[in-house]
Amino acid sequence: MGTRFSGWIILSVFLFCAGCANITAPTGGRKDTTPPRLVSAEPGDSLRNTRVKRIELYFNEYITVNDPTREVQLSPLLSIAPVVTGLNKHVVVKIVDSLLEENTTYRLSFGNAIKDLHEGNAFANYTYTFSTGGYFDSLELRGNVVNAQTGIYDLDGVCVELYYSAENDTAVARHKPKYIAKADATGNFVFRGLPKRPFRIYALKDVNENQMYDGVLQGEMIGFLDSNVTPVAKAEHPVTLKLFTEIADTAVKKVIDSVKANKEKTGSGLKNKKQSTTKTDPAGYSVALDTSNAERKTFDVTGPIKVAISNTLILNKEKITLSFDSGGLNVPVAISFDRDTLLHVLRIRPVKWKENTVYVLKLMKGFARDTAGTDMLPSRYTFRTKEEYDYGEITVHLPSKYYGPNFLLRVMADNDSIYQKPVTDTIVKLAYLNPAKYTMRIIADKNHDGKWNTGELLAGKQPEEVIPYKEPLNLRAGFKHIIDFEKIPPANKPVIGGKSLK
C-alpha cells in the first residue's frame, strides 16, 4: 500500500513538471485600433435657443485629452477660450456663457484632442453644435491662399480669419477674429456654418500662434481682399488671398506698435542673425577661383572673377593681369574692372572668355594698398574655364498677352534670380545655364520699375500680380528644353530631353 501511494506521488510530480515546461507567455492579443466611442453628451447635441456653459461627454473607455488649446476650437471665437479637461471616461468643457452672442450658431470642434488612454486612437473630427437662436447657420465660404511673390502655395502654418465688416483693417492686429480656418497642404480652406452677413477676410502666417497679425518684424505675412465677402449656400466661386511680407517701415508697423504700446514689452522679435562676412586669407583678400586642378573645368564663363578685399583704399589696376594659355604661350588679355565699394568686391572680366581654356590671373605686389598704407601680398591663380557642353539651355515661348513693358519674365535657378527683364519678344532663349532646378514666373509690373512690389495692408495696396510656371525644371548639362509657358508638362517627364547642345 505504501509503495503504491509513493508511486502515485512520483507520477503526479512528473506530470506537474512536464506541464510547467510547456507554459508560454501570453501573446497580448490583437492591437487595439478602435477609437473611443461617445456614449452620451449632456446637454444633448444640436440644441437651439440655448446658452450652453458646460458640456459633459461620456465615453466607453478611458481617455486622455491632448493639447486642447490647439486642438479644441469654438467657432465663433470668444475672448476667453473654453476650458477642456478629461478624467477617466469623462470630458468636461466649460464655456463663459456671458460672452455668447444672440442668434448665433456655435460649433465646438475637438480635432484630435480626445484619444484612448493606452493606444492613442483619436476620437477625431467630432463637432458639438448649439445655437443661441432658433435656427442653425449653414452657409459656407471657401477659397485658397498663394504666396504673392511666387504665385504658388509654398508656405506652412497659414490660417484664414474672418472679422465683422464694421471693423477696420487694424482689427487683425488688435484682437482675435470671429472665425478661423486653417489652409491645407494645397492652400485650400473652407468655412462652414456661417451666418449671412458680410465679413472682412485675411490670410495670416501666424508665427507666434496668437491668431493676430504682429507685423513683419515678427516674421509674419498677411493677405487680404479689397472688398467684403458674404457666405453663400454653396461656394462655387472660391476667393484667392495673396500672402505677402510688408516692408518693415510701412504704416502697419506704426499701427501695431501703437496698439501694443500699453502692453509689456517682450522684445522686437528679431532673431540674432550671423552677419555675412567675406573670409580673407592672410594676404588680406580672397579670390573666388578653383585652382586645385587646371585640368578640371571649374570657372563659369558667364561671370567675372570676384576678388573680396577689405579695408582697401587704393587699387593699382596696372598690376593686375590676366592671360590664357595658347600652345604653351601666355597671351595677355584686355580686362575691365567693376568695384563694389559697399560689398568690398572687385570684379575682373575680359571682353569675352574662351571656353575650355587655361587662364592665369596675377595680382602683383602693390596691386592694392590697405588703410594703413601696407601693400597686399602678390599671388597667382591658374584655372580652366567651362565649355558650352557644361551648360544647359532653355527656350521659353510666351503668350502674346504678356508682351510689352507691363510684364517681366523672371527665371530662378534654385533660390537665385538669373534673369529678370521686360518681355520684348514672345520667345526668350536662355543659354549657358548652369545645371540646377529652374522656376519661372511672369510679373505684372504696373509701375514699370523693373521689379516685383509687395503690398501694404493699411494703404489697401495689393502686391503686384505674379503668374507662375508651376512645374520646376531640372536642367542638366548638355540638354535643351523648350517651354510653353501656359502648358505644364506631364509629371515626371522632361519637356524635351537628351538633345545635345552640339
Side-chain angles (χ1 to χ4, degrees):
M1 182 71 181
T3 303
R4 184 182 300 176
F5 181 75
S6 299
W8 277 108
I9 292 176
I10 293 172
L11 179 61
S12 299
V13 170
F14 175 80
L15 291 175
F16 176 78
C17 293
C20 290
N22 290 327
I23 294 176
T24 59
T27 62
R30 186 176 300 174
K31 182 179 179 180
D32 178 19
T33 60
T34 304
R37 178 171 55 85
L38 181 64
V39 176
S40 64
E42 297 179 5
D45 195 357
S46 302
L47 295 177
R48 302 178 185 179
N49 298 308
T50 302
R51 304 178 73 86
V52 175
K53 62 180 180 180
R54 182 183 176 93
I55 302 169
E56 299 187 45
L57 305 177
Y58 295 90
F59 292 87
N60 66 329
E61 60 179 310
Y62 289 99
I63 56 86
T64 181
V65 178
N66 297 315
D67 201 5
T69 56
R70 283 191 177 186
E71 293 289 340
V72 182
Q73 178 177 294
L74 181 64
S75 182
L77 274 67
L78 302 180
S79 57
I80 300 176
V83 176
V84 183
T85 56
L87 181 64
N88 296 332
K89 303 179 181 181
H90 186 205
V91 174
V92 176
V93 182
K94 297 179 181 179
I95 300 172
V96 182
D97 61 325
S98 60
L99 300 177
L100 300 175
E101 299 182 24
E102 297 290 339
N103 299 315
T104 301
T105 300
Y106 286 90
R107 286 175 167 78
L108 185 65
S109 173
F110 288 86
N112 292 317
I114 302 174
K115 299 180 179 181
D116 62 31
L117 183 60
H118 298 292
E119 299 295 340
N121 299 308
F123 177 65
N125 302 320
Y126 174 66
T127 300
Y128 180 96
T129 305
F130 66 93
S131 176
T132 57
Y135 57 88
F136 289 110
D137 297 319
S138 59
L139 303 182
E140 70 175 37
L141 181 66
R142 63 177 64 235
N144 55 77
V145 184
V146 298
N147 184 326
Q149 191 169 11
T150 64
I152 60 177
Y153 182 82
D154 56 1
L155 295 165
D156 295 322
V158 176
C159 57
V160 182
E161 302 180 349
L162 297 180
Y163 289 79
Y164 290 150
S165 61
E167 299 197 71
N168 59 35
D169 281 326
T170 63
V172 70
R174 290 187 289 108
H175 62 78
K176 295 181 179 181
K178 280 298 176 183
Y179 297 87
I180 189 168
K182 292 182 179 179
D184 63 18
T186 61
N188 295 317
F189 66 88
V190 59
F191 291 91
R192 293 187 175 90
L194 296 176
K196 188 174 181 60
R197 63 180 300 173
F199 290 95
R200 287 179 175 268
I201 186 169
Y202 303 89
L204 176 62
K205 184 180 180 183
D206 188 16
V207 175
N208 57 8
E209 298 183 346
N210 67 350
Q211 300 173 336
M212 294 185 292
Y213 179 48
D214 295 298
V216 64
L217 293 183
Q218 297 290 344
E220 297 192 339
M221 303 175 72
I222 191 73
F224 66 97
L225 286 188
D226 297 322
S227 57
N228 295 331
V229 293
T230 302
V232 294
K234 185 177 181 181
E236 297 179 351
H237 302 286
V239 299
T240 297
L241 293 163
K242 299 174 182 178
L243 203 65
F244 60 90
T245 301
E246 293 194 280
I247 298 174
D249 59 354
T250 61
V252 174
K253 176 182 178 296
K254 298 177 183 178
V255 170
I256 294 172
D257 288 345
S258 63
V259 167
K260 299 180 178 180
N262 59 344
K263 296 183 179 181
E264 182 180 359
K265 293 183 179 180
T266 57
S268 66
L270 285 171
K271 295 181 179 179
N272 292 326
K273 296 183 179 179
K274 294 182 178 179
Q275 296 296 323
S276 168
T277 58
T278 301
K279 183 179 180 181
T280 58
D281 61 20
Y285 58 90
S286 64
V287 182
L289 290 173
D290 184 350
T291 60
S292 58
N293 186 350
E295 296 303 313
R296 292 177 60 241
K297 297 176 290 183
T298 58
F299 186 78
D300 187 355
V301 296
T302 65
I305 300 172
K306 295 181 180 179
V307 182
I309 310 175
S310 60
N311 300 324
T312 301
L313 292 179
I314 300 174
L315 286 173
N316 188 344
K317 298 176 182 178
E318 293 182 356
K319 294 190 176 183
I320 301 175
T321 64
L322 182 67
S323 60
F324 67 87
D325 180 80
S326 177
L329 297 176
N330 284 334
V331 180
V333 177
I335 54 179
S336 62
F337 298 88
D338 173 22
R339 186 178 179 187
D340 189 327
T341 56
L342 182 62
L343 298 176
H344 303 291
V345 173
L346 175 66
R347 302 183 184 93
I348 306 170
R349 71 177 84 224
V351 176
K352 184 179 180 180
W353 290 104
K354 288 183 173 291
E355 297 178 11
N356 193 19
T357 300
V358 175
Y359 279 83
V360 176
L361 173 69
K362 291 182 179 179
L363 302 177
M364 293 177 281
K365 185 177 181 181
F367 85 95
R369 182 171 296 169
D370 64 18
T371 53
T374 303
D375 287 339
M376 294 191 176
L377 297 177
S379 58
R380 174 190 174 103
Y381 300 87
T382 302
F383 60 95
R384 183 181 290 271
T385 56
K386 295 180 181 179
E387 60 181 320
E388 186 180 27
Y389 192 74
D390 295 314
Y391 298 91
E393 184 178 294
I394 300 175
T395 300
V396 186
H397 290 257
L398 297 168
S400 58
K401 63 184 177 181
Y402 298 133
Y403 176 83
N406 293 333
F407 296 96
L408 305 172
L409 172 63
R410 186 178 192 189
V411 181
M412 305 280 292
D414 295 325
N415 294 322
D416 296 325
S417 178
I418 59 104
Y419 181 92
Q420 182 167 302
K421 294 181 180 179
V423 179
T424 57
D425 199 341
T426 56
I427 299 178
V428 178
K429 183 177 178 180
L430 303 173
Y432 289 90
L433 299 177
N434 285 302
K437 179 182 288 186
Y438 285 81
T439 56
M440 290 170 283
R441 67 193 70 155
I442 296 290
I443 299 172
D445 187 21
K446 290 184 178 180
N447 60 359
H448 299 171
D449 65 349
K451 63 181 182 179
W452 177 80
N453 290 280
T454 191
E456 187 175 340
L457 177 62
L458 292 189
K461 176 186 173 183
Q462 292 286 355
E464 288 183 326
E465 183 182 5
V466 171
I467 304 98
Y469 181 76
K470 296 185 179 180
E471 187 74 10
L473 175 63
N474 289 310
L475 182 64
R476 289 157 48 186
F479 275 63
K480 286 183 178 180
H481 290 264
I482 300 175
I483 301 296
D484 186 336
F485 190 84
E486 287 202 330
K487 293 182 180 179
I488 298 177
N492 301 320
K493 292 183 180 180
V495 183
I496 294 180
K499 289 189 176 181
S500 171
L501 288 173
K502 294 185 177 180

